[in-house]
Amino acid sequence: MVVLVVLVGGWYYVTYGVLTETRRFLLRPVHKVIEVGFLDGGNRTDALEALWSSTRVAFIGLVIAICIGFSLAILMSQAKFFERAIFPYVVVVQAMPILAIVPLIVFWFGTGQQARVIVCVIISLFPLVANTLHGLQSAEQGMHDLFTLHHASRSVRLRKLMFPAALPFIFTGLRISAGLSVIGAIVGDFFFARGDIGIGQLLRRHANQLNGEELLAAVILSSGLGVTVFLVFGVIRDRAVGRWHEATSGRS
Amino acid sequence: MYRGKSLPTDPVETHSGSLAFEAIGMTFPDGTEALREISFSLGKSEFVTVVGPSGCGKSTLLRIASGLLEPTAGSVDIDRERLGYVFQDATLLPWRTVQGNVELFAELHGIPPDERRLLARETIDLVGLQGFEGHYPKSLSGGMRMRCSLARSLTLKPPVFLFDEPFGAVDEITREHLNDETQQLFQQEGFAGLFITHSISEAVFMSTRVLVMSARPGLIVAEFEVPFDYPRPPELRFDPAFAELCGQVSHELRGYHS
Ligand SMILES: Nc1ncnc2c1ncn2[C@@H]1O[C@H](COP(=O)(O)OP(=O)(O)OP(=O)(O)O)[C@@H](O)[C@H]1O
Ligand SMILES: [Mg+2]
């Protein structure tokens, strides 16, 4: 809260203290940004529509990434052979700069919603796979021994031991991936610049038209979305594992 | 040889409740000879404790008895159906409450929910954890976790019960309480117990027999019969005969401590 006041104060200082009258268009004052960006009817409708479009894309991308990520991690947790065979490719996908594959995606999938979702999946896959796999492998040997002693099948071991042990890691991965998926949705939208208008196109349009207030409002909107997603997944994690997990309990 | 399944019908009539090691040897792939020529057996109403220096192969012996590890020589004669086995640490599943943890083995053995809830209730009472059913392991003390681990194995009504230094990590007073309770459980439940420890007084207090093991390779070097009647009162610890026996075990152990 204090930090927020300092930030807003600093912002005003730069606007009125540092910038001269003629250069003030570079950083508009806070109240103007809010007034024009969020309170103006037309801009607000635009912004909300863009927000909805980007959220939807990010969400679909995340769900797909979760499905793929879980399947891969479960497969790799079952045998070292699969881990050695698959994991390097996951690393490769993660290491590819998203800018490098955007043209490829346009080439293969066009510039519609599908293409944007693919960007989200690619960008958010790695933390899901890596964290889930690490989590599945995190149960202590002693616990595995218990299940061995009592003749637990593979699927029982997976459901009652490895999966619950992985939950804290999975939620950590989800939190990171959800944030990345939002970035993916905005970046994809920004580059493809076609179809449903999302936050990316909004940013581009306002930047091109030098609409200072609207541009800043869109920036705030996009980081707001990222932060919201981060917080929401934090709450979900605490709900799910906070009661028993040592490290997450007692934090909000 | 593994004797295969025996039906959990009447433990008194069947072979269950005894364990025999026949010339067990264990050499790990890296060349460490952990055990050599271990042979002893315990009968239905015996509680045998093995004491020995750290690293002499005690845990290895229990892992072999339980079937988690195959010995490189010799054989074990044991009924592993419903085997009781508690580890050095409690190994509770942190995401399950006390109730859920105690039900785990019964669950893995396919016992229906109502029945296992009842079994868990019973053994939770037996180890004195009433009122903590809804607690997660992170909010339990070390002694309580161990009690929970004991209760979990007791739900199976094990004919043979292996204990791998279960009370090594709790304080002295708690340990004595747990010793009193374990000894009572041994009486009530009538399992054959094989107990591992570093503590000589713990060994003498609970056991019908104490075996002393040497290190590298692990060998049984001495054997003591403990003559005291059950149930053993806590005051037995102040009995001169008790102290004398502890002294003898200690002397024997010292001779092989390297
Ligand atoms: N998987 C393994 N590979 C190689 N050596 C092993 C392995 N497991 C145990 N050992 C060795 O076998 C010996 C006996 O180990 P074990 O754990 O049975 O000892 P312990 O008597 O239970 O010791 P402690 O009292 O410290 O628990 C040790 O020297 C140990 O280093
Ligand atoms: Mg040990």
Side-chain angles (χ1 to χ4, degrees):
Chain A
M1 207 58 210
V2 179
V3 179
L4 188 66
V5 171
V6 172
L7 275 179
V8 172
W11 183 335
Y12 271 118
Y13 174 72
V14 172
T15 313
Y16 290 112
V18 178
L19 299 174
T20 56
E21 185 70 44
T22 46
R23 291 171 65 224
R24 198 159 287 157
F25 70 91
L26 287 174
L27 188 66
R28 309 299 302 164
V30 181
H31 60 268
K32 291 288 272 183
V33 170
I34 293 174
E35 207 177 289
V36 178
F38 295 116
L39 299 181
D40 176 88
N43 281 341
R44 191 174 55 205
T45 315
D46 279 359
L48 287 181
E49 265 169 18
L51 182 65
W52 168 235
S53 159
S54 291
T55 309
R56 201 176 51 219
V57 168
F59 181 77
I60 297 171
L62 184 64
V63 169
I64 295 174
I66 288 172
C67 294
I68 299 175
F70 276 17
S71 312
L72 286 179
I74 288 172
L75 189 65
M76 285 191 278
S77 75
Q78 293 302 301
K80 272 271 168 270
F81 165 78
F82 289 122
E83 190 183 338
R84 273 199 300 271
I86 300 172
F87 202 75
Y89 294 98
V90 183
V91 174
V92 168
V93 169
Q94 119 98 3
M96 279 190 299
I98 199 75
L99 288 183
I101 40 178
V102 162
L104 213 59
I105 291 173
V106 176
F107 185 63
W108 284 334
F109 302 99
T111 55
Q113 170 145 326
Q114 195 189 7
R116 280 182 256 173
V117 168
I118 288 169
V119 172
C120 290
V121 172
I122 291 175
I123 209 171
S124 60
L125 188 63
F126 185 75
L128 281 168
V129 176
N131 281 287
T132 307
L133 179 60
H134 185 63
L136 289 171
Q137 293 170 338
S138 72
E140 291 166 27
Q141 185 55 43
M143 294 179 185
H144 277 285
D145 286 346
L146 292 181
F147 280 72
T148 308
L149 279 174
H150 297 281
H151 317 291
S153 65
R154 235 169 222 279
S155 94
V156 167
R157 190 186 295 266
L158 185 67
R159 278 185 293 120
K160 299 197 171 171
L161 176 61
M162 295 163 73
F163 184 70
L167 276 178
F169 297 84
I170 290 176
F171 282 111
T172 303
L174 264 180
R175 206 178 191 185
I176 300 169
S177 289
L180 288 176
S181 188
V182 168
I183 293 175
I186 294 171
V187 167
D189 187 43
F190 186 87
F191 279 107
F192 301 144
R194 233 169 283 160
D196 258 8
I197 292 183
I199 295 177
Q201 288 183 64
L202 207 61
L203 283 168
R204 173 179 287 242
R205 188 174 69 200
H206 294 315
N208 288 344
Q209 298 170 0
L210 293 179
N211 298 332
E213 286 92 350
E214 288 92 333
L215 180 57
L216 282 169
V219 169
I220 292 172
L221 204 61
S222 58
S223 38
L225 181 56
V227 170
T228 308
V229 162
F230 187 75
L231 292 178
V232 164
F233 278 90
V235 170
I236 293 176
R237 181 186 61 181
D238 287 352
R239 279 282 159 79
V241 304
R243 267 180 310 161
W244 59 267
H245 189 56
E246 308 267 359
T248 52
S249 58
R251 285 195 296 152
S252 58
Chain B
M1 109 196 115
Y2 175 48
R3 285 181 62 94
K5 288 191 179 183
S6 83
L7 292 172
T9 43
D10 191 356
V12 186
E13 298 295 319
T14 59
H15 162 84
S16 49
S18 70
L19 162 61
F21 294 101
E22 284 151 31
I24 294 292
M26 183 70 214
T27 306
F28 285 105
D30 66 0
T32 315
E33 188 182 14
L35 300 172
R36 183 192 290 173
E37 286 283 326
I38 302 266
S39 296
F40 68 91
S41 63
L42 56 149
K44 218 195 84 55
S45 49
E46 273 200 288
F47 196 104
V48 173
T49 297
V50 178
V51 290
S54 192
C56 72
K58 304 183 298 294
S59 297
T60 304
L61 188 65
L62 289 199
R63 288 178 69 81
I64 288 173
S66 72
L68 284 175
L69 194 64
E70 272 298 312
T72 47
S75 64
V76 191
D77 185 355
I78 184 176
D79 175 8
R80 293 202 179 105
E81 195 59 21
R82 299 184 298 136
L83 180 72
Y85 189 0
V86 292
F87 300 148
Q88 232 154 323
D89 48 1
T91 49
L92 302 177
L93 305 182
W95 52 88
R96 287 188 176 218
T97 59
V98 167
Q99 177 79 27
N101 267 292
V102 174
E103 282 182 23
L104 178 70
F105 291 174
E107 198 176 317
L108 293 179
H109 283 256
I111 294 172
D114 297 344
E115 206 173 318
R116 67 180 186 240
R117 207 162 300 135
L118 229 63
L119 279 172
R121 181 65 25 107
E122 234 170 76
T123 62
I124 285 172
D125 285 354
L126 219 48
V127 299
L129 275 182
Q130 317 79 316
F132 291 93
E133 288 87 350
H135 285 235
Y136 285 90
K138 73 170 180 184
S139 66
L140 300 179
S141 70
M144 288 158 93
R145 284 181 205 182
M146 223 50 239
R147 286 196 166 95
C148 186
S149 175
L150 281 176
R152 181 173 62 183
S153 279
L154 285 168
T155 53
L156 297 177
K157 304 206 185 309
V160 181
F161 211 135
L162 311 174
F163 301 86
D164 189 354
E165 265 183 74
F167 312 138
V170 298
D171 63 87
E172 195 57 34
I173 305 287
T174 312
R175 180 196 279 243
E176 288 190 358
H177 277 300
L178 288 165
N179 289 163
D180 294 340
E181 286 159 21
T182 309
Q183 176 249 138
Q184 278 165 23
L185 286 173
F186 165 59
Q187 264 227 297
Q188 288 167 24
E189 304 291 304
F191 50 75
L194 179 54
F195 196 96
I196 301 288
T197 181
H198 281 125
S199 156
I200 293 167
S201 67
E202 174 173 79
V204 174
F205 182 77
M206 291 190 296
S207 324
T208 54
R209 202 149 41 110
V210 177
L211 304 177
V212 178
M213 205 167 155
S214 71
R216 232 153 286 200
L219 292 165
I220 304 290
V221 290
E223 182 173 342
F224 295 88
E225 291 289 337
V226 184
F228 312 114
D229 290 334
Y230 293 90
R232 295 177 178 170
E235 302 78 51
L236 176 66
R237 297 189 179 88
F238 312 123
D239 194 311
F242 180 83
E244 156 110 41
L245 193 50
C246 288
Q248 286 174 13
V249 176
S250 172
H251 180 77
E252 202 56 54
L253 193 57
R254 206 171 287 267
Y256 294 95
H257 219 299
S258 45

